[in-house]
Every structure is written in structure tokens, then in C-alpha cells.
Amino acid sequence: MDDPYQNNVNQQGETYPTYGGGEYTYPYQTDYPPQEEEDAASDVTEGHDDDEQMYEGEYQGIPHPDEIKEARRAARREARMKARMAAEVEEETLPDQYESIMEDCGHGRFQWTLFTVLGLSLMADGVECFVVSFALPSAEKDMCLSNADKGMLGLIVYVGMMIGAVLWGGLADKLGRRQCLLYALAINCIFSFLSCFAQSYGFFIFFRLCSGIGIGGSIPVVYTYYAEFLQMDKRGEHLSWLCLFWMLGGLYASFTAWGIIPHYGWGFSMGTEFQFHSWRVFVLVCFLPSVAALAGLVFMPESPRFLLETARHDEAWMILKQVHDTNWRAKGEPERVFQFSQIKMPQAQDDEFIEIQSETGTAFQRFMVRHMTLVKQVMKNLMSLAAPDLRLHGLFIAIVWFTMGFSYFGLGAWFPDQIKYLQFEEYESNVKTFHREKVEHFHFNFTLQNQVHKEGEYIHDRFMDIEMRNVKFEESLFENCYFEDIRSTDTFFENCTVKNTVFYNTDLWEDSKFIDCKLENTTFLHPKKGCHLNFQEENDILIYLVCFLGSLSVIPGNIIAGLLMDKIGRLKIIGGSMLGSAGCTFFLLLCFSQWAVVFFQCLFFAASAAAWNGIEVVTVELYPTSKRATAFGVLNGTCKLAAIISSFIFGKVIGITKIIPIILSFSALVCGGLLAFKLPETREVILQ
């Protein structure tokens, strides 16, 4: 019987197996499923020991089934290895390729245009931090605010900015950088405008809260947005230059407050219910940077890095080509061609639940499904910041943000309050005291200021068209007197007797200005409504000058940070600046005069400016694209929380002690500065 297995062997020794006999022969297929070992065993060798067995096809060169099985396993292992390597290469290639694309696009007109537009957004954020503090001395009189109301109004902006930072940062990773920034600036513009006309405290504080929520998205979205248009060797320097606009916001706010608020006539009134004084004009002017940023942003494209992350490949390619052509056309080389026709993309999955619901249900159901799904996606992205690979560095950078915000914003609010306290001390030291004076038939037609009158007698006297500033009458007698057109500030009558006296068109109200007084046959006619607004006292030009100089002193720190950020590294900038600022806080013990406070305030702000630049640059570079804005928003919200805490604590100890603000600020800055050196250096890191 012929052997059914036949082999053809060429000269090189390669074997081509065939199956069958005669004219019908078929190639032997090694891909057939392997036979079982007992089926593959030869009947001839059955019962022999393994060492003595010999495969009958071995002499013909036919592979053993066990060898075939092992070869297949090796092939599958190799295929899986190649697949994993290909996936890793695919994942790593996009950041590398995107960096190459940005280098090919160059740095030119497009980046500078975007720099200006986003800078205006940061300028609006800087203005928002100052606008309430400048308007508050006038607003508290215009709306008759108590001390508790003043404190709440001063902190409500930071509360809004804290909420806005987390909200818009989270949404920017899902909806897009440009779209969220448009929404945030629009909300800020609308509610800033409405707050100018709010006559009651409730509406005003609500509008400023909403305005803060809007502008709170500015910092996290702006830095994320701009960084994704920069190549690696330009990123640190140009993000530092962008910080200058925040300082310009402080200069703009203090300069306009200085020029507008003291001019009481720059306003109008409609009866006694609607008052539009000059401080409202100032609030109106302060929302102009936000309007300008909003108008410019309309003409800017979305971040192509975000579009690639969300699988919008064609849009990203068109924007990158626009950046390339804009830059090289401005440099006189319009003939240069954008060389990248294919761009790698990470694997992105659309939400199937949204797609299913978009075809069914009512419009309200589709609206609810999409927005609830968006909320879940944002919360999931927020929770992913606690992943093991991000947890430790995230905790370190959060502590650095918190300590920097605690000391910077806390002392920033403490400096003006300390100056006011020193002014008050100086004012109190010059109080004139009149004891048991007796004045009859006298016409008071001049300002009474910083005086205390004890056990005096005023009979048949006339007080007409005058101002009373910090005047106090104690245990005095007023008989047959006439008060007309009186404007008072911190003026009180305590334990006095008032007989047969008329008060006409004054703000000396019976229920608030007369404390434990005995009023006999006394008449109050046409009392003034609202609180008296004394611009000469409440709007001291020195306060505006202090904030102006404080903002101006930031310029050297910003310049140094911009020049050295890519040379010595981010961590040395942050740590050195924070430790230098900590040293400056000890000089605050020498602040015994107003101008000493101004000088050391400028020194502190100049030393700490570089740290802010470094912190913001590291935050952008530390997180991947899908989490970058979310992480920045959470960290910036942490900073605003620290500002709220420190402003509250430092405000409570004004006039009591300087030790607490100094010790707390020093400890926070030293802790944050030392911890900054534990962060990873991101100077030569490609955005992931």
C-alpha cells in the first residue's frame, strides 16, 4: 500500500507537504486543528515508552503536531505583544506628533492675537477682585449696610469665583475651552451690568455672586486654552507673560476708582428711590474688559488639542492649518505648505445613551438626558483626579495653591485695612473735647469734625447746612434749637435732653442717632432717606494709591519669571519666590506708619509674583488633556477657598495684633515653598 503522505523537497531543503494519492493531491494545511495526542500516536509504537517512541513522519520531515501547536501559541503571543506595542505607540504618538505640528506652525501672529484676547479675560478677573473692595466704602453708605453685611459683600465675590472655577473647569474638558469661556464671560457681563442698577443689598449681593461665578472660569480655562497653542520651548515664557494681564486688571480698577468714585456728581437720581451715584459708574466701567474679551473670543477657534481628544479630527486639522497659514503669511512666507495630512487620534467613544435618546422621546426628555449625562461625565472626570498616578502630585500642588492663596489674598486684604486702622488711630489722637460749654443764640454754619462735647448746653441755637463728622454729644441739653440740612457721619447723641427742637431735612434719625436720650416736644420733619455718603472721608485717595502701587509692584516679578521660567525651571521659581515672600512677611512687624505698610506691601507683592506664574505653568503641564481644565479649576477653587478663610481671619484681628497674620502667612509660605520642590519638573515635558 502506498504511503498517503508524500513530500516534495527542493534543493535548499525546504519541505512542501501534500496529502492524498494519485492524481488528487492537496497541500497539507498546517492550520488545521491539532489532533489529540492519542490520535497522533502511531499504532506501531503504541505501548512503547516515551523515550523509545519515534514519530513515523519524522524521517519524511513532517512537523510533529506538538511542534505545530507550540508554534501557533508562540505566534499568538507575538501577535498580542505587537498589538500591545502598537497601542502604546499609538497612544504616545499623538502628543509627540502634536508637538511637531505646533513647531511647524511656529509662534507668530495667531498666538499673539489669542494672547491679547485671553489676556483681556484675565484682566477682567483681576478687576473683579478689586471692584467690590473699592466700591464698598461708598456702597455701604448708599445702601445703609451693617458691619455683617459689609463683611459678607467683601467675601461673596471669592465665593462666586470658587464655584465658577470648579464649574467651568470641569465643563471645559467636556464642552470645549472656547465655548465654556464664552459662556463664563457672558454671565459675568450680564450680572456685572445688572449690579450697577441694584438698589437693594439683596439684589446687589446676588448679582455680584453670579458675576463672580462667571469670571471664576477665566483663569482655569484661559491657561488651559492658551497652553494648547504653544510649543514646548515657548510655553513657560509666554504663559508667564500672560500673567501680566491680571496685574493690568488691578491697575485698571484702582486707576478708574481713583478717577471716578470721589466725583459724587458723576451720576443721577430718579426721585428718592433710585440713586445712581459715582461708585455705580465705576462698577459699570469695570465690566468693559470682560465685554472686550467676549467680543474678541467670538473670532477665535477652539483648541485643536481638545478637538483631537474628542475625535473631531477634521475640525482640528482645519484649525491647525489656519494657525500655520496665519503665522507664515505674517512672516512673509505664504508659500509654505502645511505638511501634516494625517494626525493621530486617541480612541474616543461617543456616549451611546445620548445617541439613542436623541432619536426618541420629547425635547424635554432629550434635554434632561443629555445634561444629566454631562453632569455624570464631569463628576466622573472630577473623581478621576484621585487616581493613583495623579493622587500624590495632585495633593502636593493643591497644598501649594492653598498656602499661596491663603497668604497672598489674606495679606492683600489686610494691608488696606491696616492703613485705615492707622489712619483711625491718628484721627482719634486728634479728638477735641469740649466740657461743659454753654452756647446761646449762636448760628453754626461750619463743619463740626472729630469732636466730643460733654455736659454742654445749647439754647436757641441754629445748626444749618453743615456737616458733622465723628461728632458725639454726651449728657448735653438742647433747648429751642433748629437743625436744617444736616449731613452726618458717625455722629451720635448719647444721654442727652432735647426740648422744643425741630429737625428739618436731616439724617439725624430718631431711632438710630439718639441713644438713651430724652426727647420733649421734638419734631422730625422730612428726614433724609438712605445713608449719607461722605466722599471726602470714605474714599481716601491713599487707599486707591495703595492698590495701584501694589499692582504695579508685580511687574518686576512677572518679568523675572518670564525670562527665567524656561532656563532654571518651574520648581526653583516657585520655591524661591514663596520662600522670599515668607521672609518679607517678618518686615511687617516694622509697620508703624501708613507709608511703611505701603512699602512692605509692594515688596511682598513683588516677591510673590513669580510664584504665581510658576504654579500656573506647572498645573497646566502636570495633567493630561482630558483632565487639564478640571484639575486647574479644582486647584484654583482651592486657592479661592484659602482667600476666603484668610480674609476672614485677618479681618478679625485688625487693630488687635499683627502677630497672627504674620505668623500664619509665614508658616503657609514656608510650607508651600518647601513642598514645591517635591513636584515633578515639567520644563521639558510634552503636553499629554
Side-chain angles (χ1 to χ4, degrees), residues 270-531:
M270 299 175 63
T272 58
E273 298 298 328
F274 186 85
Q275 303 289 331
F276 196 89
H277 294 144
S278 58
W279 69 268
R280 297 181 184 273
V281 178
F282 163 71
V283 175
L284 183 64
V285 170
C286 282
F287 94 115
L288 295 181
S290 185
V291 173
L294 182 63
L297 193 61
V298 172
F299 301 97
M300 293 292 105
E302 182 57 83
S303 164
R305 189 66 180 86
F306 167 78
L307 295 176
L308 290 173
E309 196 70 24
T310 54
R312 293 156 68 180
H313 180 277
D314 294 339
E315 294 179 60
W317 187 89
M318 292 297 295
I319 293 172
L320 290 170
K321 186 177 184 302
Q322 176 190 351
V323 175
H324 175 277
D325 295 345
T326 301
N327 288 341
W328 290 110
R329 192 181 300 115
K331 295 177 182 179
E333 299 184 34
E335 69 281 357
R336 291 195 60 158
V337 179
F338 186 56
Q339 300 177 354
F340 295 86
S341 59
Q342 294 183 353
I343 304 176
K344 300 289 184 180
M345 284 193 305
Q347 295 296 327
Q349 297 180 352
D350 294 332
D351 197 314
E352 297 180 359
F353 190 61
I354 294 179
E355 297 301 325
I356 293 173
Q357 292 295 324
S358 65
E359 302 297 332
T360 59
T362 64
F364 177 75
Q365 288 176 329
R366 294 196 296 271
F367 174 85
M368 291 302 298
V369 166
R370 285 173 177 151
H371 285 78
M372 289 304 297
T373 304
L374 177 62
V375 171
K376 292 178 182 178
Q377 291 173 345
V378 171
M379 292 303 298
K380 182 180 179 181
N381 206 31
L382 192 64
M383 294 297 103
S384 69
L385 297 178
D389 57 331
L390 299 174
R391 188 181 304 156
L392 184 60
H393 292 155
L395 177 62
F396 286 174
I397 192 72
I399 294 174
V400 173
W401 271 95
F402 185 90
T403 54
M404 190 65 195
F406 182 89
S407 57
Y408 185 89
F409 290 105
L411 289 178
W414 182 82
F415 286 129
D417 288 343
Q418 183 67 15
I419 290 175
K420 290 181 180 179
Y421 176 74
L422 293 175
Q423 288 177 327
F424 177 75
E425 279 190 329
E426 182 180 353
Y427 191 78
E428 286 288 313
S429 65
N430 297 323
V431 172
K432 296 179 181 179
T433 302
F434 299 87
H435 191 70
R436 292 182 179 179
E437 62 176 353
K438 186 174 182 179
V439 182
E440 295 185 66
H441 300 281
F442 187 79
H443 184 190
F444 289 88
N445 58 359
F446 50 87
T447 298
L448 302 180
Q449 181 175 356
N450 202 22
Q451 299 176 1
V452 176
H453 300 263
K454 297 182 178 181
E455 300 179 5
E457 294 183 11
Y458 305 90
I459 302 173
H460 293 285
D461 295 326
R462 298 175 66 87
F463 300 81
M464 300 183 64
D465 194 21
I466 63 173
E467 290 187 16
M468 295 183 177
R469 305 176 194 163
N470 296 89
V471 179
K472 189 175 183 181
F473 295 94
E474 297 179 354
E475 300 178 352
S476 298
L477 170 66
F478 294 86
E479 187 174 355
N480 295 317
C481 294
Y482 182 76
F483 292 79
E484 181 178 351
D485 289 331
I486 306 299
R487 301 176 301 279
S488 65
T489 303
D490 293 331
T491 297
F492 300 96
F493 298 79
E494 186 174 348
N495 296 319
C496 294
T497 300
V498 184
K499 298 180 179 180
N500 302 321
T501 299
V502 175
F503 294 87
Y504 180 84
N505 192 29
T506 72
D507 58 6
L508 301 175
W509 301 298
E510 180 179 1
D511 55 348
S512 59
K513 298 291 186 178
F514 296 86
I515 303 172
D516 297 328
C517 293
K518 185 178 181 181
L519 305 179
E520 299 178 3
N521 196 23
T522 300
T523 305
F524 294 87
L525 300 175
H526 301 289
K528 293 180 182 291
K529 292 185 177 182
C531 301

Side-chain angles (χ1 to χ4, degrees), residues 49-82:
D49 293 338
D50 291 343
D51 294 336
E52 298 177 358
Q53 290 181 0
M54 178 177 292
Y55 174 53
E56 63 182 8
E58 182 177 355
Y59 72 95
Q60 297 176 339
I62 299 176
H64 193 282
D66 291 341
E67 296 177 3
I68 297 172
K69 186 190 304 183
E70 184 62 30
R72 288 177 183 151
R73 290 174 180 170
R76 285 195 294 269
R77 284 195 301 267
E78 185 178 358
R80 286 195 297 267
M81 183 66 68
K82 289 181 178 179

Side-chain angles (χ1 to χ4, degrees), residues 540-552:
D540 191 349
I541 289 180
L542 179 60
I543 299 301
Y544 305 134
L545 181 61
V546 166
C547 296
F548 183 86
L549 293 177
S551 299
L552 200 62

Side-chain angles (χ1 to χ4, degrees), residues 222-260:
V222 161
Y223 281 97
T224 301
Y225 189 13
Y226 191 53
E228 293 172 351
F229 281 97
L230 297 173
Q231 59 202 66
M232 183 175 62
D233 59 341
K234 299 283 187 181
R235 197 164 55 231
E237 177 184 354
H238 288 271
L239 287 176
S240 297
W241 297 138
L242 194 62
C243 297
L244 284 169
F245 279 91
W246 197 91
M247 172 271 299
L248 291 177
L251 292 177
Y252 177 83
S254 55
F255 185 77
T256 52
W258 192 352
I260 295 176

Side-chain angles (χ1 to χ4, degrees), residues 160-287:
M161 295 174 79
M162 178 181 66
I163 297 172
V166 179
L167 173 66
W168 297 115
L171 290 175
D173 280 332
K174 297 301 177 183
L175 300 180
R177 286 73 162 108
R178 174 182 175 273
Q179 185 175 353
C180 284
L181 190 56
L182 281 171
Y183 291 157
L185 291 175
I187 290 175
N188 175 250
C189 290
I190 292 171
F191 287 100
S192 292
F193 180 78
L194 292 176
S195 68
C196 303
F197 302 94
Q199 296 296 302
S200 67
Y201 170 75
F203 277 111
F204 185 76
I205 196 172
F206 172 74
F207 290 150
R208 295 316 303 183
L209 172 65
C210 295
S211 174
I213 292 176
I215 202 61
S218 175
I219 289 181
V221 179
V222 161
Y223 281 97
T224 301
Y225 189 13
Y226 191 53
E228 293 172 351
F229 281 97
L230 297 173
Q231 59 202 66
M232 183 175 62
D233 59 341
K234 299 283 187 181
R235 197 164 55 231
E237 177 184 354
H238 288 271
L239 287 176
S240 297
W241 297 138
L242 194 62
C243 297
L244 284 169
F245 279 91
W246 197 91
M247 172 271 299
L248 291 177
L251 292 177
Y252 177 83
S254 55
F255 185 77
T256 52
W258 192 352
I260 295 176
I261 293 180
H263 298 280
Y264 185 78
W266 290 17
F268 61 90
S269 61
M270 299 175 63
T272 58
E273 298 298 328
F274 186 85
Q275 303 289 331
F276 196 89
H277 294 144
S278 58
W279 69 268
R280 297 181 184 273
V281 178
F282 163 71
V283 175
L284 183 64
V285 170
C286 282
F287 94 115

